[in-house]
Amino acid sequence: MAAQEQRLLLEQLMGKESLISPIARRREPELTSPRVCKSFLVGTCPHDLFVGTKQDLGRCPRLHLQKHKLEYEYRTKKKREAFPDFEIEYYKTLEKYILDLNRTIKIAQERLTHTTPEEQKKIEATTKELDNLDMKIGLMTQEINYLIQQGELQKSLHESIKLEEFCKEREKLAENVRNIVENVGQTSQQKLQVCEGCGAYLSRLDSDRRLADHLIGKTHLGYVQMKQAYDELHSKLKRLNLLS
């Protein structure tokens, strides 16, 4: 490992202070310092949950040093020390983001109930065209399979080329529907629903793979993890009578 890589690794694990003189090192923040992120110590800081996504919160303004987390885990698990202030601070941080998410979900759901008749007709006309195209694709797929079974390889190849064109047309049409929905900002519950986990719109136009990708996506899982941590802390702090 190159010297520069070793230095970066030490900085990540122990902080920059570990690479300077012992005299200067005395000024490094303690575990209880307000400069240290308590969310990082107790659980997962929200700033670390959505890195590289549209919900990226940027870098946390407080310190995330592995040595602090290791010290916290040692003192709480091995020495059985309690840091209720840390947990309360983490709880309040999570609560802020959970409340923001709940407002987002509520607004998204309200938008679904205010579709104008004109918007509904526009969406229904386009989705009907999409349904017709889906039917053609289904019938053509059956025909190709039949031709292959009958050994009509040349005909099946010809039909496969046509099928590919239909699939491309279908993708463009589906994208057009999604654009219409985004532009009007509203549609009926039959066409869209709001993800209760992260507040995103989910459409019946999406494939099973696309929906599956959403459920295992970083943003969705980040909010699910946040809610789980919040619920667990809420139960614990309430049991200890630490919530006002």
Side-chain angles (χ1 to χ4, degrees), residues 7 14 23 25 28 40 46 49 55 70 86 92 115 123 132 136 159 167 195 225 231 236 244:
R7 183 181 182 89
M14 304 300 294
I23 296 177
R25 199 182 306 162
E28 67 184 8
F40 172 74
L49 287 175
Q55 302 298 326
L70 293 174
F86 289 13
K92 290 182 177 179
T115 311
I123 294 170
N132 291 334
K136 290 181 181 179
E159 293 299 312
C167 290
C195 176
Q225 181 178 340
D231 290 340
K236 179 179 180 179
S244 55

Side-chain angles (χ1 to χ4, degrees), residues 26-59:
R26 294 172 189 168
R27 297 195 296 268
E28 67 184 8
E30 298 293 334
L31 186 72
T32 55
S33 169
R35 293 175 56 196
V36 176
C37 177
K38 304 308 184 292
S39 297
F40 172 74
L41 298 181
V42 180
T44 303
C45 176
H47 288 264
D48 292 336
L49 287 175
F50 307 109
V51 176
T53 72
K54 292 181 179 180
Q55 302 298 326
D56 196 324
L57 302 173
R59 185 174 182 179

Side-chain angles (χ1 to χ4, degrees), residues 184-234:
V184 299
Q186 305 151 1
T187 187
S188 66
Q189 289 285 1
Q190 294 179 346
K191 307 304 180 187
L192 287 180
Q193 61 182 359
V194 179
C195 176
E196 295 290 343
C198 64
Y201 283 117
L202 300 178
S203 172
R204 77 172 184 84
L205 302 175
D206 291 333
S207 63
D208 291 341
R209 176 61 183 273
R210 188 182 180 97
L211 293 174
D213 287 343
H214 169 79
L215 294 177
I216 63 173
K218 195 170 185 178
T219 299
H220 181 85
L221 291 180
Y223 278 117
V224 170
Q225 181 178 340
M226 187 184 293
K227 284 184 174 182
Q228 183 178 355
Y230 175 80
D231 290 340
E232 291 175 355
L233 268 179
H234 181 82

Side-chain angles (χ1 to χ4, degrees), residues 139-164:
L139 292 174
M140 184 170 289
T141 301
Q142 293 179 11
E143 182 179 355
I144 292 173
N145 291 333
Y146 175 77
L147 290 173
I148 292 175
Q149 292 175 1
Q150 297 300 314
E152 300 284 349
L153 299 182
Q154 190 65 31
K155 289 183 178 180
S156 67
L157 179 60
H158 179 71
E159 293 299 312
S160 295
I161 295 174
K162 291 169 61 177
L163 176 61
E164 184 177 355

